[in-house]
Amino acid sequence: MTTPGARPIVGIAGTGRMGSAMARAIHRAGLPLVLWNRDPAKAEELAAELGTTTAATPARLAAAADIVLTMLADDEAVAAVYDGQDGLLAGARRGTVLVDLSTVTPAVLGRFAADARAAGVGLLDSPVSGSTATATSGQLTLMVGGDADDLARARPALEPLATSIFHLGPLGTGAAMKLAVNTLIFGLNQAVAEGLVLAERAGIDRVAAYQVLAASAAGAPYLGYKKAAFLDPEATPVAFSLDLAAKDLRLIAALAASVGLSLPQADTNLEVIRRASSDGRGGNDFATVAGELRGLTAHSQEGVR
Ligand code: NAP
């Protein structure tokens, strides 16, 4: 453990798009960092950029850190990184807090809760709303499930990432809230694509149409940070892949089914994302659903000529 008043050492497992953006924000806040990634080259490259170190396994990362943040693709990745003899739980010391920020099934961390408690290790789910840009600038919204004491210990690593931190209840409630938030985001993404392509088809310049959508009553922060992706998809780096969007929509469908709900808009969005990511296009950005719509519209018009 660090001595009282010392800066806690933060471990980050998963230096993909979001994990590396979060590492930059935490580094800027002056906290010492240790990194681990399944593909070690990515962690080493980021460590060289930030002047920090890497760990050889998740267990060693947890042994070296006071607070560990995990930012991983999906349920399987979280299970692989927390479990087993090289996993985070095997290496974590009494008093360490493990915080999962990935978008995953609400029950996924629960299977580790008893072992973590027995070892005196804190466990929180804290998925995020935002993007790579808002992660880098420390403007994410965090949705936390778990014990208040664990959250208090994790705060030094979470505060540099976020403008809002909501504590929602026991472990799993953060993950469930994130799926509810994404139900809105997926609806909005599809609505922006449809409104934009409709305006274009009606002869309005794409940039002007986007400006109006962003300034309208439906304008939301999402329209601000997805602007480049909608206006110039070819030249804009991928921020959130269609594969991850499909994963989230499957999680939403499973949560809805488990509580006896039917969500017609989310079901439609999953179908749209499945089409847009077919033929090996799952790595494209989520905003490319607008391009899909342009293509589909052109195709169906050809069909009726
Ligand atoms: P990403 O760039 O694809 O990174 C995924 C990370 O997960 C990489 O570090 C990858 O390691 C790791 N990983 C995948 N499978 C693994 C496994 N089986 N074992 C160990 N590690 C594994 O994805 P991202 O955009 O950063 O997203 C990460 C999470 O944040 C996802 O749950 C996503 O839904 C959520 N999220 C993303 C955004 C966004 O705007 N991108 C916003 C909010 C939430 P390798 O490098 O070795 O492949």
Side-chain angles (χ1 to χ4, degrees), residues 13-20 22 36-40 42 70-81 101-104 127-134 140 178 182 225-226 238-241 244-245 247-248 251 285:
T15 57
R17 292 189 183 95
M18 288 296 280
S20 46
M22 287 167 21
W36 175 86
N37 194 62
R38 178 179 62 173
D39 170 1
K42 283 190 199 167
T70 54
M71 195 48 163
L72 301 158
D74 53 22
D75 292 7
E76 291 70 29
V78 170
V81 170
L101 296 98
S102 327
T103 305
V104 289
V128 313
S129 182
S131 68
T132 49
T134 46
L140 294 168
K178 167 64 181 173
N182 270 16
Y225 62 71
K226 290 308 272 188
V238 176
F240 183 61
S241 68
L244 287 182
K247 176 263 303 181
D248 286 4
L251 297 183
D285 192 81

Side-chain angles (χ1 to χ4, degrees), residues 66 138 160 163 190 223 286 303:
D66 301 297
T163 42
Q190 184 59 23
L223 275 80
F286 183 37

Side-chain angles (χ1 to χ4, degrees), residues 4-167:
R7 292 171 307 162
I9 299 170
V10 180
I12 296 188
T15 57
R17 292 189 183 95
M18 288 296 280
S20 46
M22 287 167 21
R24 291 189 180 95
I26 288 171
H27 177 71
R28 213 178 37 247
L31 298 180
L33 267 179
V34 191
L35 307 173
W36 175 86
N37 194 62
R38 178 179 62 173
D39 170 1
K42 283 190 199 167
E44 281 155 17
E45 193 181 324
L46 184 63
E49 177 195 321
L50 301 178
T52 64
T53 56
T54 60
T57 63
R60 290 196 183 184
L61 181 83
D66 301 297
I67 305 164
V68 178
L69 308 181
T70 54
M71 195 48 163
L72 301 158
D74 53 22
D75 292 7
E76 291 70 29
V78 170
V81 170
Y82 278 73
D83 213 357
Q85 61 178 17
D86 287 334
L88 291 174
L89 276 158
R93 292 167 287 125
R94 185 165 289 278
T96 298
V97 193
L98 310 177
V99 190
D100 183 38
L101 296 98
S102 327
T103 305
V104 289
T105 301
V108 88
L109 277 191
R111 59 185 269 213
F112 305 115
D115 285 350
R117 202 175 305 113
V121 171
L123 195 59
L124 297 169
D125 57 322
S126 178
V128 313
S129 182
S131 68
T132 49
T134 46
T136 308
S137 61
Q139 293 176 301
L140 294 168
T141 295
L142 304 189
M143 296 150 261
V144 183
D147 287 352
D149 288 351
D150 292 338
L151 174 56
R153 281 187 290 147
R155 272 190 184 273
L158 299 181
E159 283 173 353
L161 302 176
T163 42
S164 308
I165 300 178
F166 294 99
H167 185 203

Side-chain angles (χ1 to χ4, degrees), residues 183 252-253 255-267:
T183 306
I252 289 167
L255 180 63
S258 76
V259 296
L261 263 184
S262 152
L263 301 178
Q265 178 198 251
D267 292 345

